[in-house]
Amino acid sequence: MKSLIKNILIFLLVFLVIAAIFSSYNFTRPKIKDADIGQLIAQLNNEEVQGVVIEENSLLITLKNGEQEKLQKEQGESFGEIIKNYNVAPEKISSLNIAVKSKSGWAYWSEALLPFLIPFIFIGVFIWFMMRQVQGANNRAMMFGQSGVRETPKNQKDKITFKDVAGVKEAKEDLDEIVEFLKTPKKFVALGAKIPKGALLMGAPGTGKTLLARAVAGEANVPFFHISGSEFVEMFVGVGASRVRDLFTKAKKNAPCIVFIDEIDAVGRQRGAGLGGSHDEREQTLNQILVEMDGFDPNLGIIVLAATNRPDILDPALLRPGRFDRRIVLDLPDINDREAILKIHAKNKPLAAGVTLRKLAERTPGFSGADLANLVNEAAIAAARQNKKIIDEINLLDSIEKVLLGPERKSHLLSDKEKEITAYHEAGHALVAHLLPHTDPVHKISIISRGRAAGYTLKLPEKDRSLKSRQEFVEELAVLLGGQIAEKHFFGDVTTGASNDLREATKIAKKIVTEYGMSEKLGLRTFGEKEELIFLGKEIHEGKDYSEKTAEKIDEEINMFIKNAKETAQKIIGGNEKQMKNIVEKLMKEETIEREAFEKIVGPKPKK
Ligand code: ADP
Ligand code: MG
Ligand code: ZN
């Protein structure tokens, strides 16, 4: 927009300059007076006339005193006739210089056409300016097929290497091999080994896939070509494919190098499984990737890395040998990895003495590398906003909750009544969680709004674990229902505050029955076939692979699990009214209760 205005201004300026030149040109010409026939005859008779130039119907008369005048004569009437008609004596004429000039072609045409042309020329110039404008914006669109690839050349100054990536030990070991291929391909070729073409990095979002791919390029010190799968999917069919071609052309020129296709699931979904409009485009792009990967010489030294968090939906053709045949899994970091990741991200940040990253790592099970980076950053921001010179432990611990649940909403003021209901609700969750043996210990209870929740109870596992037992699920259901049951028990009514809990509980109960085979009645099988229909992004469509009769049984089982959980929670809350009231009292006073204070009220958590 700004440049459009600029162009219009330039245009006006040019216009003014031209106008100025024209007008000054006119001023510098000697003045030519208009005359009429009578005057001319008188001047002829007085012998004042030096010469006459006849040009079509106009006469340019030069007088002996140097002045000039001009005069229009009638069409078709010659100068000679005029003179005859006015009875000018012939001898007065004989001394005259009479010249007849026909108009030069250029002058004639310009005089005739210029008045019409000038507006057109101006309009034309204006349109040309506008076009240039639009083209500037569209330039990218015109060069569609080429843009989108970002290159990080080798010998970058602050390049990322493996030591910037904490944890993911196995992944790094696997990738070490690729680094070696890139560094010394000859060693492998000499033995007749075929260097693998591609490796697929798989892992949850934020586990460091993109970071690790960069680190491989940094370690091997080769150029890094980076494009994201979603960038292939454009409005026009064929653009993605041409981008792939361009990407590989560039890579071939720069071999050895790494081509990195981030979020490859955007194009690499199973073909023929969708209804989406961009489906054809995706298929073409994917085909082009396959063609390019098959096409280049494996010993050229191009290694294609790709990343995805949905390996389950990738097209099998991508995973065939000769393509992404190395598969590298990045797990969520365990406690030691978390500590190491925190250390990397705390490196340039002044931490208060006594802050132990180990403690943070203990409190952040399930956090990804990106979450941890975010946590440290949020803490630094909070400390800066409080005008502190160092980041203290409170900043860090607060950030855990901020990353988990969203920012505190201090302005979201609850009325005293709402506060009390929220306090009972959270106390319900907390007490049920505390008294059941297989649940995670309660770390914090709060009735300060965070994100969308009015209050929250933070439970954290003692240890990282990847398996969960049936009993743990059953108890978790009771904890989820504890909130609403406390409301009902103490107020005789329930609020909307529990809808999230109920949705979560239903989801878990359904999984217990249909996915984990934990229901005795229905036995060891799964129900429902998960199938991905690609429609408007993503949508899970569940195919039914069971009868209506079984569907009824599933519903019954789900209800049974929920009902049992409800009874468990009711028993705990009904039987511990005194403790509930103590928790609520403290919550109303202080708004948050930490683990130590909580266990002072309710005693230590019973052992399993
Ligand atoms: P992904 O591509 O798997 O979604 P990224 O590689 O983009 O995740 O990670 C995002 C950020 O999280 C990184 O830029 C880095 O700051 C941080 N991060 C993630 N994993 C690690 C790790 N293992 N070590 C250090 N930092 C990490
Ligand atoms: Mg990524
Ligand atoms: Zn709740």
Side-chain angles (χ1 to χ4, degrees), residues 265-295:
D265 40 299
V267 287
R269 280 168 194 274
Q270 286 183 20
R271 286 168 291 183
L275 306 165
S278 61
H279 184 242
D280 275 348
E281 164 67 352
R282 198 162 42 228
E283 200 160 295
Q284 282 199 13
T285 308
L286 177 55
N287 282 337
Q288 191 65 40
I289 292 177
L290 298 180
V291 167
E292 293 287 349
M293 284 194 78
D294 289 345

PDB file of all heavy atoms in Angstrom, residues 265-295:
ATOM      1  N   ASP A 265       4.175 -35.736   6.939  1.00  0.00           N
ATOM      2  CA  ASP A 265       2.822 -36.304   6.900  1.00  0.00           C
ATOM      3  C   ASP A 265       1.837 -35.417   6.143  1.00  0.00           C
ATOM      4  O   ASP A 265       0.822 -35.888   5.653  1.00  0.00           O
ATOM      5  CB  ASP A 265       2.315 -36.606   8.308  1.00  0.00           C
ATOM      6  CG  ASP A 265       2.680 -35.543   9.296  1.00  0.00           C
ATOM      7  OD1 ASP A 265       3.890 -35.300   9.502  1.00  0.00           O
ATOM      8  OD2 ASP A 265       1.778 -34.930   9.839  1.00  0.00           O
ATOM      9  N   ALA A 266       2.178 -34.113   6.015  1.00  0.00           N
ATOM     10  CA  ALA A 266       1.284 -33.219   5.258  1.00  0.00           C
ATOM     11  C   ALA A 266       1.163 -33.672   3.804  1.00  0.00           C
ATOM     12  O   ALA A 266       0.120 -33.485   3.184  1.00  0.00           O
ATOM     13  CB  ALA A 266       1.787 -31.781   5.312  1.00  0.00           C
ATOM     14  N   VAL A 267       2.219 -34.249   3.249  1.00  0.00           N
ATOM     15  CA  VAL A 267       2.112 -34.751   1.871  1.00  0.00           C
ATOM     16  C   VAL A 267       2.169 -36.269   1.804  1.00  0.00           C
ATOM     17  O   VAL A 267       1.739 -36.857   0.829  1.00  0.00           O
ATOM     18  CB  VAL A 267       3.228 -34.201   0.965  1.00  0.00           C
ATOM     19  CG1 VAL A 267       3.000 -32.773   0.645  1.00  0.00           C
ATOM     20  CG2 VAL A 267       4.591 -34.431   1.554  1.00  0.00           C
ATOM     21  N   GLY A 268       2.701 -36.861   2.858  1.00  0.00           N
ATOM     22  CA  GLY A 268       2.991 -38.287   2.759  1.00  0.00           C
ATOM     23  C   GLY A 268       1.913 -39.196   3.302  1.00  0.00           C
ATOM     24  O   GLY A 268       2.162 -40.362   3.570  1.00  0.00           O
ATOM     25  N   ARG A 269       0.716 -38.675   3.479  1.00  0.00           N
ATOM     26  CA  ARG A 269      -0.362 -39.533   3.955  1.00  0.00           C
ATOM     27  C   ARG A 269      -0.629 -40.641   2.964  1.00  0.00           C
ATOM     28  O   ARG A 269      -0.362 -40.502   1.789  1.00  0.00           O
ATOM     29  CB  ARG A 269      -1.654 -38.735   4.063  1.00  0.00           C
ATOM     30  CG  ARG A 269      -1.748 -37.925   5.270  1.00  0.00           C
ATOM     31  CD  ARG A 269      -2.929 -36.992   5.082  1.00  0.00           C
ATOM     32  NE  ARG A 269      -2.890 -35.939   6.076  1.00  0.00           N
ATOM     33  CZ  ARG A 269      -3.412 -36.083   7.286  1.00  0.00           C
ATOM     34  NH1 ARG A 269      -4.006 -37.201   7.615  1.00  0.00           N
ATOM     35  NH2 ARG A 269      -3.340 -35.107   8.146  1.00  0.00           N
ATOM     36  N   GLN A 270      -1.232 -41.668   3.472  1.00  0.00           N
ATOM     37  CA  GLN A 270      -1.600 -42.763   2.577  1.00  0.00           C
ATOM     38  C   GLN A 270      -2.464 -42.246   1.457  1.00  0.00           C
ATOM     39  O   GLN A 270      -3.385 -41.478   1.670  1.00  0.00           O
ATOM     40  CB  GLN A 270      -2.359 -43.819   3.366  1.00  0.00           C
ATOM     41  CG  GLN A 270      -1.426 -44.589   4.243  1.00  0.00           C
ATOM     42  CD  GLN A 270      -2.133 -45.684   4.995  1.00  0.00           C
ATOM     43  OE1 GLN A 270      -3.204 -46.093   4.591  1.00  0.00           O
ATOM     44  NE2 GLN A 270      -1.524 -46.136   6.055  1.00  0.00           N
ATOM     45  N   ARG A 271      -2.117 -42.699   0.282  1.00  0.00           N
ATOM     46  CA  ARG A 271      -2.868 -42.211  -0.870  1.00  0.00           C
ATOM     47  C   ARG A 271      -4.200 -42.934  -0.975  1.00  0.00           C
ATOM     48  O   ARG A 271      -4.364 -44.043  -0.505  1.00  0.00           O
ATOM     49  CB  ARG A 271      -2.050 -42.406  -2.131  1.00  0.00           C
ATOM     50  CG  ARG A 271      -0.925 -41.399  -2.215  1.00  0.00           C
ATOM     51  CD  ARG A 271       0.052 -41.756  -3.277  1.00  0.00           C
ATOM     52  NE  ARG A 271       0.795 -42.955  -2.902  1.00  0.00           N
ATOM     53  CZ  ARG A 271       1.767 -43.453  -3.640  1.00  0.00           C
ATOM     54  NH1 ARG A 271       2.088 -42.888  -4.764  1.00  0.00           N
ATOM     55  NH2 ARG A 271       2.408 -44.533  -3.257  1.00  0.00           N
ATOM     56  N   GLY A 272      -5.092 -42.250  -1.629  1.00  0.00           N
ATOM     57  CA  GLY A 272      -6.378 -42.880  -1.884  1.00  0.00           C
ATOM     58  C   GLY A 272      -7.233 -43.024  -0.651  1.00  0.00           C
ATOM     59  O   GLY A 272      -8.111 -43.856  -0.592  1.00  0.00           O
ATOM     60  N   ALA A 273      -6.955 -42.229   0.368  1.00  0.00           N
ATOM     61  CA  ALA A 273      -7.720 -42.393   1.598  1.00  0.00           C
ATOM     62  C   ALA A 273      -8.524 -41.157   1.923  1.00  0.00           C
ATOM     63  O   ALA A 273      -9.057 -41.035   2.999  1.00  0.00           O
ATOM     64  CB  ALA A 273      -6.783 -42.706   2.754  1.00  0.00           C
ATOM     65  N   GLY A 274      -8.576 -40.206   1.012  1.00  0.00           N
ATOM     66  CA  GLY A 274      -9.163 -38.948   1.437  1.00  0.00           C
ATOM     67  C   GLY A 274     -10.250 -38.411   0.551  1.00  0.00           C
ATOM     68  O   GLY A 274     -10.484 -38.869  -0.551  1.00  0.00           O
ATOM     69  N   LEU A 275     -10.909 -37.414   1.087  1.00  0.00           N
ATOM     70  CA  LEU A 275     -11.940 -36.727   0.339  1.00  0.00           C
ATOM     71  C   LEU A 275     -11.545 -35.284   0.100  1.00  0.00           C
ATOM     72  O   LEU A 275     -12.205 -34.561  -0.610  1.00  0.00           O
ATOM     73  CB  LEU A 275     -13.245 -36.730   1.130  1.00  0.00           C
ATOM     74  CG  LEU A 275     -13.752 -38.090   1.596  1.00  0.00           C
ATOM     75  CD1 LEU A 275     -14.826 -37.896   2.644  1.00  0.00           C
ATOM     76  CD2 LEU A 275     -14.291 -38.870   0.423  1.00  0.00           C
ATOM     77  N   GLY A 276     -10.465 -34.859   0.727  1.00  0.00           N
ATOM     78  CA  GLY A 276     -10.094 -33.439   0.715  1.00  0.00           C
ATOM     79  C   GLY A 276      -9.810 -32.933  -0.681  1.00  0.00           C
ATOM     80  O   GLY A 276      -9.441 -33.684  -1.578  1.00  0.00           O
ATOM     81  N   GLY A 277      -9.957 -31.624  -0.852  1.00  0.00           N
ATOM     82  CA  GLY A 277      -9.803 -31.041  -2.180  1.00  0.00           C
ATOM     83  C   GLY A 277      -8.371 -31.065  -2.667  1.00  0.00           C
ATOM     84  O   GLY A 277      -8.105 -31.212  -3.850  1.00  0.00           O
ATOM     85  N   SER A 278      -7.419 -30.929  -1.730  1.00  0.00           N
ATOM     86  CA  SER A 278      -6.033 -30.838  -2.153  1.00  0.00           C
ATOM     87  C   SER A 278      -5.433 -32.217  -2.326  1.00  0.00           C
ATOM     88  O   SER A 278      -4.246 -32.403  -2.345  1.00  0.00           O
ATOM     89  CB  SER A 278      -5.235 -30.052  -1.122  1.00  0.00           C
ATOM     90  OG  SER A 278      -5.297 -30.739   0.101  1.00  0.00           O
ATOM     91  N   HIS A 279      -6.290 -33.172  -2.436  1.00  0.00           N
ATOM     92  CA  HIS A 279      -5.825 -34.541  -2.413  1.00  0.00           C
ATOM     93  C   HIS A 279      -4.962 -34.897  -3.613  1.00  0.00           C
ATOM     94  O   HIS A 279      -3.908 -35.498  -3.489  1.00  0.00           O
ATOM     95  CB  HIS A 279      -7.030 -35.459  -2.315  1.00  0.00           C
ATOM     96  CG  HIS A 279      -6.643 -36.878  -2.180  1.00  0.00           C
ATOM     97  ND1 HIS A 279      -6.969 -37.818  -3.097  1.00  0.00           N
ATOM     98  CD2 HIS A 279      -5.888 -37.498  -1.254  1.00  0.00           C
ATOM     99  CE1 HIS A 279      -6.445 -38.970  -2.728  1.00  0.00           C
ATOM    100  NE2 HIS A 279      -5.799 -38.800  -1.615  1.00  0.00           N
ATOM    101  N   ASP A 280      -5.426 -34.495  -4.795  1.00  0.00           N
ATOM    102  CA  ASP A 280      -4.666 -34.750  -6.014  1.00  0.00           C
ATOM    103  C   ASP A 280      -3.287 -34.151  -5.928  1.00  0.00           C
ATOM    104  O   ASP A 280      -2.303 -34.753  -6.309  1.00  0.00           O
ATOM    105  CB  ASP A 280      -5.376 -34.097  -7.200  1.00  0.00           C
ATOM    106  CG  ASP A 280      -6.442 -35.012  -7.730  1.00  0.00           C
ATOM    107  OD1 ASP A 280      -6.441 -36.182  -7.328  1.00  0.00           O
ATOM    108  OD2 ASP A 280      -7.263 -34.548  -8.526  1.00  0.00           O
ATOM    109  N   GLU A 281      -3.283 -32.940  -5.413  1.00  0.00           N
ATOM    110  CA  GLU A 281      -2.037 -32.216  -5.290  1.00  0.00           C
ATOM    111  C   GLU A 281      -1.075 -32.969  -4.394  1.00  0.00           C
ATOM    112  O   GLU A 281       0.093 -33.135  -4.694  1.00  0.00           O
ATOM    113  CB  GLU A 281      -2.346 -30.826  -4.714  1.00  0.00           C
ATOM    114  CG  GLU A 281      -1.172 -30.072  -4.175  1.00  0.00           C
ATOM    115  CD  GLU A 281      -0.203 -29.685  -5.253  1.00  0.00           C
ATOM    116  OE1 GLU A 281      -0.370 -30.133  -6.394  1.00  0.00           O
ATOM    117  OE2 GLU A 281       0.748 -28.958  -4.935  1.00  0.00           O
ATOM    118  N   ARG A 282      -1.600 -33.465  -3.287  1.00  0.00           N
ATOM    119  CA  ARG A 282      -0.751 -34.173  -2.348  1.00  0.00           C
ATOM    120  C   ARG A 282      -0.180 -35.425  -2.996  1.00  0.00           C
ATOM    121  O   ARG A 282       0.985 -35.758  -2.850  1.00  0.00           O
ATOM    122  CB  ARG A 282      -1.564 -34.528  -1.114  1.00  0.00           C
ATOM    123  CG  ARG A 282      -0.705 -34.861   0.052  1.00  0.00           C
ATOM    124  CD  ARG A 282      -1.464 -34.794   1.346  1.00  0.00           C
ATOM    125  NE  ARG A 282      -2.773 -35.372   1.235  1.00  0.00           N
ATOM    126  CZ  ARG A 282      -3.856 -34.783   1.661  1.00  0.00           C
ATOM    127  NH1 ARG A 282      -3.794 -33.605   2.207  1.00  0.00           N
ATOM    128  NH2 ARG A 282      -5.024 -35.367   1.544  1.00  0.00           N
ATOM    129  N   GLU A 283      -1.047 -36.088  -3.742  1.00  0.00           N
ATOM    130  CA  GLU A 283      -0.620 -37.319  -4.379  1.00  0.00           C
ATOM    131  C   GLU A 283       0.490 -37.050  -5.381  1.00  0.00           C
ATOM    132  O   GLU A 283       1.499 -37.758  -5.420  1.00  0.00           O
ATOM    133  CB  GLU A 283      -1.823 -37.942  -5.074  1.00  0.00           C
ATOM    134  CG  GLU A 283      -1.658 -39.391  -5.360  1.00  0.00           C
ATOM    135  CD  GLU A 283      -3.015 -40.034  -5.571  1.00  0.00           C
ATOM    136  OE1 GLU A 283      -3.815 -40.086  -4.615  1.00  0.00           O
ATOM    137  OE2 GLU A 283      -3.284 -40.445  -6.695  1.00  0.00           O
ATOM    138  N   GLN A 284       0.330 -36.010  -6.162  1.00  0.00           N
ATOM    139  CA  GLN A 284       1.357 -35.669  -7.149  1.00  0.00           C
ATOM    140  C   GLN A 284       2.664 -35.317  -6.470  1.00  0.00           C
ATOM    141  O   GLN A 284       3.734 -35.705  -6.920  1.00  0.00           O
ATOM    142  CB  GLN A 284       0.909 -34.450  -7.963  1.00  0.00           C
ATOM    143  CG  GLN A 284      -0.093 -34.780  -9.011  1.00  0.00           C
ATOM    144  CD  GLN A 284      -0.143 -33.689 -10.048  1.00  0.00           C
ATOM    145  OE1 GLN A 284       0.720 -32.820 -10.097  1.00  0.00           O
ATOM    146  NE2 GLN A 284      -1.153 -33.726 -10.895  1.00  0.00           N
ATOM    147  N   THR A 285       2.556 -34.553  -5.400  1.00  0.00           N
ATOM    148  CA  THR A 285       3.763 -34.149  -4.695  1.00  0.00           C
ATOM    149  C   THR A 285       4.478 -35.372  -4.127  1.00  0.00           C
ATOM    150  O   THR A 285       5.691 -35.515  -4.251  1.00  0.00           O
ATOM    151  CB  THR A 285       3.403 -33.191  -3.548  1.00  0.00           C
ATOM    152  OG1 THR A 285       2.602 -32.139  -4.081  1.00  0.00           O
ATOM    153  CG2 THR A 285       4.632 -32.609  -2.917  1.00  0.00           C
ATOM    154  N   LEU A 286       3.711 -36.237  -3.526  1.00  0.00           N
ATOM    155  CA  LEU A 286       4.289 -37.447  -2.947  1.00  0.00           C
ATOM    156  C   LEU A 286       4.962 -38.285  -4.037  1.00  0.00           C
ATOM    157  O   LEU A 286       6.091 -38.749  -3.876  1.00  0.00           O
ATOM    158  CB  LEU A 286       3.192 -38.244  -2.248  1.00  0.00           C
ATOM    159  CG  LEU A 286       3.611 -39.583  -1.654  1.00  0.00           C
ATOM    160  CD1 LEU A 286       4.767 -39.405  -0.696  1.00  0.00           C
ATOM    161  CD2 LEU A 286       2.444 -40.230  -0.938  1.00  0.00           C
ATOM    162  N   ASN A 287       4.273 -38.434  -5.159  1.00  0.00           N
ATOM    163  CA  ASN A 287       4.859 -39.199  -6.258  1.00  0.00           C
ATOM    164  C   ASN A 287       6.177 -38.588  -6.692  1.00  0.00           C
ATOM    165  O   ASN A 287       7.141 -39.297  -6.967  1.00  0.00           O
ATOM    166  CB  ASN A 287       3.901 -39.237  -7.456  1.00  0.00           C
ATOM    167  CG  ASN A 287       2.791 -40.238  -7.222  1.00  0.00           C
ATOM    168  OD1 ASN A 287       2.950 -41.154  -6.424  1.00  0.00           O
ATOM    169  ND2 ASN A 287       1.671 -40.049  -7.890  1.00  0.00           N
ATOM    170  N   GLN A 288       6.192 -37.263  -6.748  1.00  0.00           N
ATOM    171  CA  GLN A 288       7.422 -36.598  -7.173  1.00  0.00           C
ATOM    172  C   GLN A 288       8.547 -36.849  -6.173  1.00  0.00           C
ATOM    173  O   GLN A 288       9.686 -37.073  -6.560  1.00  0.00           O
ATOM    174  CB  GLN A 288       7.162 -35.098  -7.337  1.00  0.00           C
ATOM    175  CG  GLN A 288       8.286 -34.361  -8.032  1.00  0.00           C
ATOM    176  CD  GLN A 288       8.449 -34.832  -9.467  1.00  0.00           C
ATOM    177  OE1 GLN A 288       7.479 -35.069 -10.178  1.00  0.00           O
ATOM    178  NE2 GLN A 288       9.687 -35.001  -9.898  1.00  0.00           N
ATOM    179  N   ILE A 289       8.213 -36.844  -4.903  1.00  0.00           N
ATOM    180  CA  ILE A 289       9.243 -37.136  -3.891  1.00  0.00           C
ATOM    181  C   ILE A 289       9.796 -38.538  -4.110  1.00  0.00           C
ATOM    182  O   ILE A 289      11.003 -38.765  -4.102  1.00  0.00           O
ATOM    183  CB  ILE A 289       8.664 -37.003  -2.466  1.00  0.00           C
ATOM    184  CG1 ILE A 289       8.327 -35.549  -2.165  1.00  0.00           C
ATOM    185  CG2 ILE A 289       9.662 -37.525  -1.425  1.00  0.00           C
ATOM    186  CD1 ILE A 289       7.687 -35.333  -0.806  1.00  0.00           C
ATOM    187  N   LEU A 290       8.894 -39.461  -4.372  1.00  0.00           N
ATOM    188  CA  LEU A 290       9.334 -40.843  -4.585  1.00  0.00           C
ATOM    189  C   LEU A 290      10.221 -40.932  -5.824  1.00  0.00           C
ATOM    190  O   LEU A 290      11.270 -41.579  -5.809  1.00  0.00           O
ATOM    191  CB  LEU A 290       8.117 -41.764  -4.739  1.00  0.00           C
ATOM    192  CG  LEU A 290       7.196 -41.836  -3.522  1.00  0.00           C
ATOM    193  CD1 LEU A 290       6.032 -42.771  -3.788  1.00  0.00           C
ATOM    194  CD2 LEU A 290       7.948 -42.275  -2.288  1.00  0.00           C
ATOM    195  N   VAL A 291       9.792 -40.254  -6.885  1.00  0.00           N
ATOM    196  CA  VAL A 291      10.568 -40.288  -8.130  1.00  0.00           C
ATOM    197  C   VAL A 291      11.961 -39.711  -7.901  1.00  0.00           C
ATOM    198  O   VAL A 291      12.966 -40.287  -8.305  1.00  0.00           O
ATOM    199  CB  VAL A 291       9.825 -39.493  -9.224  1.00  0.00           C
ATOM    200  CG1 VAL A 291      10.740 -39.244 -10.414  1.00  0.00           C
ATOM    201  CG2 VAL A 291       8.586 -40.235  -9.662  1.00  0.00           C
ATOM    202  N   GLU A 292      12.005 -38.569  -7.213  1.00  0.00           N
ATOM    203  CA  GLU A 292      13.309 -37.929  -6.994  1.00  0.00           C
ATOM    204  C   GLU A 292      14.206 -38.806  -6.124  1.00  0.00           C
ATOM    205  O   GLU A 292      15.405 -38.911  -6.348  1.00  0.00           O
ATOM    206  CB  GLU A 292      13.125 -36.565  -6.329  1.00  0.00           C
ATOM    207  CG  GLU A 292      12.448 -35.527  -7.204  1.00  0.00           C
ATOM    208  CD  GLU A 292      13.353 -35.024  -8.314  1.00  0.00           C
ATOM    209  OE1 GLU A 292      14.556 -35.317  -8.291  1.00  0.00           O
ATOM    210  OE2 GLU A 292      12.835 -34.357  -9.228  1.00  0.00           O
ATOM    211  N   MET A 293      13.593 -39.414  -5.124  1.00  0.00           N
ATOM    212  CA  MET A 293      14.413 -40.230  -4.227  1.00  0.00           C
ATOM    213  C   MET A 293      14.950 -41.456  -4.936  1.00  0.00           C
ATOM    214  O   MET A 293      16.056 -41.921  -4.651  1.00  0.00           O
ATOM    215  CB  MET A 293      13.607 -40.634  -3.000  1.00  0.00           C
ATOM    216  CG  MET A 293      13.463 -39.495  -2.026  1.00  0.00           C
ATOM    217  SD  MET A 293      12.882 -40.027  -0.440  1.00  0.00           S
ATOM    218  CE  MET A 293      14.362 -40.713   0.268  1.00  0.00           C
ATOM    219  N   ASP A 294      14.171 -41.985  -5.852  1.00  0.00           N
ATOM    220  CA  ASP A 294      14.665 -43.126  -6.616  1.00  0.00           C
ATOM    221  C   ASP A 294      15.692 -42.681  -7.641  1.00  0.00           C
ATOM    222  O   ASP A 294      16.560 -43.443  -8.048  1.00  0.00           O
ATOM    223  CB  ASP A 294      13.500 -43.811  -7.353  1.00  0.00           C
ATOM    224  CG  ASP A 294      12.605 -44.538  -6.381  1.00  0.00           C
ATOM    225  OD1 ASP A 294      13.046 -44.730  -5.245  1.00  0.00           O
ATOM    226  OD2 ASP A 294      11.473 -44.879  -6.757  1.00  0.00           O
ATOM    227  N   GLY A 295      15.564 -41.407  -8.058  1.00  0.00           N
ATOM    228  CA  GLY A 295      16.327 -40.948  -9.209  1.00  0.00           C
ATOM    229  C   GLY A 295      17.791 -40.682  -8.933  1.00  0.00           C
ATOM    230  O   GLY A 295      18.631 -40.950  -9.783  1.00  0.00           O
TER     231      GLY A 295
END
